[in-house]
Amino acid sequence: MPKRVFLDWKSPLLPAIADRLMPACGAGPLHLGEYLILTPTRQAGRRLREYLATSWRNRGGTAVLSMEVHPPSFILQPDDSQEIAHAFDWMSAWQKTLIGIDPGTLPSLLPQQKEAFSAPVALEFGQRLQRLREELLDAGLDLSAVAESPLLQSEKDRWQDLARLEETYRKHLENMGRIDPTDAKRETLKSYQPPEGIRKIILAGVPDPSPLLLHRLEQLDTDAHNEIEVWIHAPEKEAEAFDSWGKPNETWQTRFLGRGAEPEGWIECLADPPALCNRMQEFMQEIPESPDLAFGLLDDALVLPLQHALAESGQLLYHPKPAKLAESAPVRLLERFQEQRRRQDPVSLRELWRQSDLLNALSPENGRSMLKIWEEYAGKHFPENADNVSATIPEGPLKEAWEKMWKWIRVEDPKGILQMLEEIYADRKLDPNHPEQRYQVRQFHQLAETLQEAAHRQNAGDSPSSGILLQVLKSETVDPPRVEGTLTAEGWLELAYHPAPHLLLTGFQEGNVPAVNAPDPFLPNQLREELGLRSDRDWLARDAYLFHCMIMSRAPGAVRVWVLKRDRDGSPLLPSRLLFACDDERMFARAE
């Protein structure tokens, strides 16, 4: 069994970790190369490295050397020698598996399906099945393993249909000379050994370790050469509330959270996002210019409104969460081109004309004027499709613009798309010193890198279809550039790693905290529990513990919670149930 170490929550987690890893004072560099430290997320690991470096300097040292700090997913990464399938490969393999398949051969999986899958539907369903396989990886399973599992209590026939599809999918990848990425991770973990020189593996404040990871750590723990410690942010008197790997047990689902009595006003109920933004501007006037404050932003829908609200006050909100390339202007433009090719109707054509980047490329002097000319033409001729436009559009600037647009609409191959984007964005100037534009530079670099990979495949005679290319681009993520903002928006799992004495939680709504699974026809909660996957009850226990810990590691009143009554569309919102984990008297007062 791993050794459990309890770090009392009388102080935040990072100071407790620092005290455990380094002496109270010293000189010169501190070598920590014998430890492999696992943190909940990559952002938590970055904050730990920064804190240890600063803390050691404050204790008289110079630098912290050889730190191995990673999220648990680090252990799953295959080495570069394996021919791991790129998204271009596995999307293509799933599409080949599903396109044209007779639904009658999968009666339990597709009982209502009458028509064979078209290419777009096959691609979409294949992506869903791949996400399912990635979820199952958390318990070391694949579709075939679930179909054969004695734990499966229902729908065995449906999972057997899925297993047959998975077998065909793997054969397509095998013909390409590729290995499925989830299979590669599973095989990598089976043979994982700590890097040379690592004497101890430390799970530092990891409240929800993956079952797959724990299975391998349990095997490593039986080897006398491996030392594993689990550091739990709680006093030792709470030992019975955690399992041997630091996971909060079911007692956290029903226990009272916090001290009970908190200063009045620590919970604020605000009407809607605009009201929250106004309250944030007021709040920033009440606190120091450089606040020692942890800011938990638990609803991504609030990021942009809060960034704009703070910018009006001359302040910056840094949000470190990677964003999908799907949100970038070039990929949205490619989506509009794809929609027009697919639908060829007035609605998709109108949407295309309303893309500002496209208008600026067609008429650099005055894109809005060009849109107005188009709207006047469309109002008179009601163009049904591109052929109709070409036949009726009058001579002049509008026709010149249309001919250029029509040429771009028909571009579907990677090299053609690269050239098209170069033409559209030829006059775009970006300043890398400006945070928002530096982010756009990163988006363009990621876009170009993916398109160049597709172009390389095109040169080799294996060009991805336009549908697959677009889906791959949409799934790519881009890390925002680091900016020194007034506040940094932390995610829920990162907040435990923030040493600030004050904490503000916004968007503390039911559905955000505790985390819940979206309705899933393949993996409902009961089946997740049967198969050993993390479920809603696990996340309730985890999030209840984290919330309790955030309160107990700070002074009374140092934690503030803002909840909303309605979202931006006016739909009602519920406060998190964790706010009502208290005695009856306080529960009624909080409800009021």
Side-chain angles (χ1 to χ4, degrees), residues 153-208:
Q153 302 296 318
S154 61
E155 298 192 334
K156 199 170 188 69
D157 291 343
R158 184 163 73 142
W159 283 93
Q160 288 173 343
D161 283 351
L162 288 168
R164 286 195 294 273
L165 290 177
E166 183 179 58
E167 182 180 2
T168 305
Y169 159 74
R170 282 198 178 109
K171 286 179 179 176
H172 283 301
L173 282 183
E174 187 178 341
N175 292 337
M176 299 177 190
R178 296 288 186 269
I179 304 169
D180 172 76
T182 58
D183 290 346
K185 290 177 183 178
R186 190 183 302 106
E187 293 304 313
T188 295
L189 191 63
K190 286 180 182 178
S191 57
Y192 174 80
Q193 291 292 335
E196 187 175 351
I198 296 295
R199 185 179 63 81
K200 183 184 294 185
I201 299 175
I202 300 171
L203 275 74
V206 181
D208 63 340

Side-chain angles (χ1 to χ4, degrees), residues 344-584:
Q344 295 192 24
D345 66 351
V347 175
S348 61
L349 194 57
R350 186 170 186 268
E351 284 295 314
L352 190 54
W353 272 99
R354 299 181 77 82
Q355 299 301 304
S356 59
D357 288 353
L358 183 59
L359 284 172
N360 290 335
L362 295 173
S363 179
E365 297 80 15
N366 196 337
R368 288 185 176 274
S369 175
M370 182 62 68
L371 176 60
K372 183 178 179 181
I373 297 171
W374 163 262
E375 295 283 8
E376 290 173 355
Y377 158 76
K380 293 178 181 178
H381 296 275
F382 303 103
E384 295 182 4
N385 51 46
D387 290 338
N388 183 246
V389 174
S390 297
T392 60
I393 200 163
E395 294 289 340
L398 184 62
K399 184 171 184 178
E400 293 174 10
W402 167 250
E403 288 175 347
K404 188 179 290 188
M405 182 190 283
W406 178 226
K407 182 190 74 171
W408 288 337
I409 289 173
R410 289 173 290 176
V411 173
E412 297 187 64
D413 65 294
K415 290 194 291 186
I417 290 175
L418 262 173
Q419 183 179 346
M420 177 187 75
L421 292 178
E422 287 175 1
E423 294 172 5
I424 292 174
Y425 292 100
D427 296 328
R428 173 68 65 89
K429 298 290 190 294
L430 294 174
D431 180 3
N433 294 317
H434 188 283
E436 184 175 347
Q437 293 186 30
R438 188 159 72 245
Y439 193 16
Q440 292 174 346
V441 169
R442 290 194 178 195
Q443 290 177 328
F444 276 105
H445 283 170
Q446 184 64 55
L447 176 66
E449 185 178 312
T450 305
L451 285 170
Q452 285 163 359
E453 169 66 21
H456 174 73
R457 290 166 177 262
Q458 182 180 355
N459 289 334
D462 186 28
S463 179
S465 68
S466 60
I468 289 178
L469 177 58
L470 182 59
Q471 291 303 314
V472 171
L473 288 172
K474 289 170 65 177
S475 65
E476 293 285 354
T477 58
V478 181
D479 288 328
R482 179 72 189 175
V483 295
E484 294 303 321
T486 310
L487 293 177
T488 295
E490 307 282 350
W492 180 244
L493 293 179
E494 284 86 29
L495 284 167
Y497 268 75
H498 204 302
H502 296 276
L503 170 62
L504 172 61
L505 299 173
T506 58
F508 203 72
Q509 314 293 150
E510 187 68 16
N512 296 336
V513 182
V516 293
N517 266 309
D520 190 325
F522 291 113
L523 286 176
N525 259 300
Q526 181 178 348
L527 181 56
R528 294 183 70 92
E529 293 177 0
E530 290 174 7
L531 296 175
L533 291 164
R534 289 173 285 187
S535 66
D536 285 356
R537 286 198 282 194
D538 294 310
W539 286 317
L540 172 58
R542 179 200 70 184
D543 292 347
Y545 155 68
L546 288 174
F547 185 48
H548 183 74
C549 195
M550 290 172 197
I551 296 173
M552 300 302 292
S553 60
R554 292 175 171 86
V559 175
R560 305 180 70 159
V561 179
W562 292 357
V563 297
L564 294 175
K565 294 181 180 180
R566 297 181 298 276
D567 64 18
R568 62 181 180 180
D569 297 323
S571 301
L573 295 172
L574 293 174
S576 168
R577 76 187 85 168
L578 301 186
L579 293 174
F580 301 100
C582 54
D583 57 56
D584 290 349

Side-chain angles (χ1 to χ4, degrees), residues 135-147:
E135 289 183 82
L136 292 172
L137 176 66
D138 199 38
L141 302 171
D142 59 11
L143 303 178
S144 302
V146 175

Side-chain angles (χ1 to χ4, degrees), residues 88-149:
F88 287 127
D89 301 314
W90 64 255
M91 284 190 193
S92 174
W94 272 121
Q95 192 175 54
K96 290 175 183 176
T97 298
L98 295 165
I99 194 167
I101 196 169
D102 180 4
T105 62
L106 303 166
S108 299
L109 178 63
L110 304 170
Q112 307 298 324
Q113 186 87 12
K114 302 302 179 185
E115 302 292 332
F117 283 145
S118 63
V121 174
L123 177 58
E124 182 181 350
F125 192 53
Q127 289 177 272
R128 176 64 188 92
L129 295 184
Q130 189 69 359
R131 289 195 299 272
L132 175 61
R133 297 180 76 251
E134 290 167 358
E135 289 183 82
L136 292 172
L137 176 66
D138 199 38
L141 302 171
D142 59 11
L143 303 178
S144 302
V146 175
E148 298 168 0
S149 173

